[in-house]
Amino acid sequence: MIRINGISLPLDYNDNQLKQYAAKALRINVNSVISASLYKRSIDARDKRNIHFSAALDVHISGNEMKAAAKSSKANVTEEYNYIIPASKKLNKPPVIIGFGPCGLFAGLILAKAGQEPVIIERGRDVDSRTRDVSSFWKTGILDTSSNVQFGEGGAGTFSDGKLNTGTKDKRIRKILEEFVSHGAPKDILYLSKPHIGTDKLKETVKNIRNEIIRYGGKVLFETTLTDIICKNNNIKAVEIKNNNGYSRIETDNVILAIGHSARDTFQMLLNKGIKMEQKAFSMGVRIEQLQEKINHQQYGDFFRNRRLPAADYKLAVHLKNGRGVYTFCMCPGGSVVAAASENGRLVTNGMSEYARDLKNANSAVLVNVTPEDFRSQDILAGVELQRAVEAKAFECGGGGYKAPVQRVGDFLRKTPSKALGEVIPTYKPGYQLTDIGLCLPEYITDSLREGLIQMNNRLKGFADYDAVLTAVESRSSSPVRILRGENMQSVSVTGLYPCGEGAGYAGGIMSAAVDGIKAAEEILLRSDK
């Protein structure tokens, strides 16, 4: 197979023309091209007068043209990717996976396909029940602390934009994308440079993967919480769990901790057990909303209404004189800001988009880096307590009932409480309270946000318009702790314990968490074969 890079495609191209573009790039006759398909496609909007797609094509050509094709500076001979599950012996005891977000999902899938019959523990509910619980929370403001945006099948990413782009270069990414597609995700995620599934399609995809794990002999226990890990001579022997039937034990030699960044009670239990952990930097800030049409216009110029172009996104980062960084995170084109709390009396926001990304507002987190020096404590869980304190203040500033504190950007920059909205209407449910969001954030964060917003607006005009809306707070972008592990991915404290994914401090998003889960599963399989 030949992979051709740097192909320019007009916005109105169609797939039937790909052979022609491939032949032109390779300088061969189009009849010699057997097939041509997209490997990658991105939008080149650097010249607003000539917005087009930049693509890489995978082509098969007749043998007598291979030498000519291989000489092209744009082409490389490549093999099709094929993931192979490591060979393994059947484990004496089933591996146990704690958490059913992307990390646990893919660890479970690999172990199940390897014939190891994993047992997966998830404190939340299945995705259908969870969706009903979350919808009820957004409507009534009544929180279910065990089934919400943070806890349940699919993890926090289930109620997000379903972003699948990542800075991780791991080859397993292709495997993850292919599994998503084979279980119902849109096929375009295989070639888009910034793929996303959307929360609407991700839910069904996650459920289909769960059903395949079960078909291969795995078990998924919903509404079941890890309460203890049982060790002997620093080796895992069992886990204690609790569900509606009370407490019970599962004997096991291998436990994958895929607990997510909001499993605060589990962090405490692990700390009490002597599992080595450390404080970790994370970020906090707010959600910003602008009119999506304005973002489209800024990014695409006169092409902003072209139907072949998706809702425009942005990614901004600035470094301030005070040494802090301010950056956008989890940008959701054509989406909404959602209530993402998991504890009573504490308010958290997140962003969400469906696959179509066709709502009126764009939204993104605007975050300020927070370091262990800001915790002002040597307590390993001091970052968790900082998050909790900010979330409690946000709940109070919103007036209770999980209404969120909201402020226009212009008022925030002027340090004036908002009394009215402009052209941007907040999308957050179950409601909002116009106020001064500075009341619920530390001064070092609000000062950094003000400077950062101004600098970002210089880079993307309209980003910080007066009428853009800030909703507080965004506090769960990543874990505030890291559970220490060695090169074999096992805890430095206990053999057979595999801390991985976002909660353990080793990932940041759906793809990197899924990769970490696969790697942990591979380590268990390789260990079984020794």
Side-chain angles (χ1 to χ4, degrees), residues 162-180:
K163 286 182 181 60
L164 304 179
N165 53 301
T166 176
T168 304
K169 302 299 182 183
D170 196 286
K171 61 183 180 181
R172 298 171 184 83
I173 288 171
R174 187 69 183 182
K175 168 66 173 176
I176 296 165
L177 294 175
E178 289 174 351
E179 288 289 357
F180 274 135

Side-chain angles (χ1 to χ4, degrees), residues 336-351:
S336 55
V337 178
V338 300
S342 61
E343 294 181 332
N344 286 318
R346 297 187 174 98
L347 191 143
V348 183
T349 69
N350 196 11

Side-chain angles (χ1 to χ4, degrees), residues 377-441:
S377 170
Q378 297 303 309
D379 187 335
I380 297 298
L381 301 183
V384 170
E385 294 311 310
L386 176 59
Q387 288 176 325
R388 280 176 161 159
V390 169
E391 293 165 11
K393 287 183 178 180
F395 184 84
E396 182 182 346
C397 287
Y402 294 97
K403 292 183 178 180
V406 164
Q407 189 174 17
R408 292 161 80 183
V409 168
D411 294 333
F412 176 71
L413 294 176
R414 295 172 56 193
K415 300 183 179 181
T416 302
S418 288
K419 299 187 182 300
L421 295 169
E423 63 181 1
V424 181
I425 305 301
T427 55
Y428 177 95
K429 295 177 181 179
Y432 54 86
Q433 175 69 47
L434 290 171
T435 184
D436 175 6
I437 63 172
L439 297 174
C440 58
L441 286 162

Side-chain angles (χ1 to χ4, degrees), residues 150 156 259-264 267 387 476-480 502-504:
Q150 305 298 341
I259 54 179
H261 55 45
S262 295
R264 292 165 169 174
F267 291 153
Q387 288 176 325
R476 308 277 185 94
S477 62
S478 64
S479 179
E502 286 204 38

Side-chain angles (χ1 to χ4, degrees), residues 163 287 316 327-332 363-367 474 476-478 508-509:
K163 286 182 181 60
R287 279 270 153 186
L316 301 167
Y327 62 99
T328 61
F329 175 78
C330 187
M331 193 270 164
C332 298
N363 79 80
S364 175
V366 185
L367 302 177
E474 173 97 9
R476 308 277 185 94
S477 62
S478 64

Side-chain angles (χ1 to χ4, degrees), residues 293 296 300-309:
E293 186 171 76
N296 291 348
Y300 297 146
D302 290 342
F303 287 79
F304 78 105
R305 287 197 173 100
N306 190 296
R307 294 185 178 182
R308 292 296 299 273
L309 291 172

Side-chain angles (χ1 to χ4, degrees), residues 83-89 110 114 518 521-523 525-526 528-529:
Y83 177 83
I84 299 175
I85 296 176
S88 62
K89 296 177 183 178
I110 296 301
I518 291 176
E522 291 171 350
E523 286 291 335
L525 296 175
L526 292 170
S528 75
D529 206 35

Side-chain angles (χ1 to χ4, degrees), residues 462-507:
F463 174 80
D465 274 355
Y466 199 111
D467 282 350
V469 169
L470 302 177
T471 305
V473 291
E474 173 97 9
S475 55
R476 308 277 185 94
S477 62
S478 64
S479 179
V481 299
R482 179 174 288 110
I483 305 171
L484 299 182
R485 71 187 188 190
E487 291 184 2
N488 60 2
M489 297 191 71
Q490 295 180 65
S491 163
V492 298
S493 305
V494 178
T495 300
L497 183 65
Y498 296 80
C500 57
E502 286 204 38
Y506 295 99

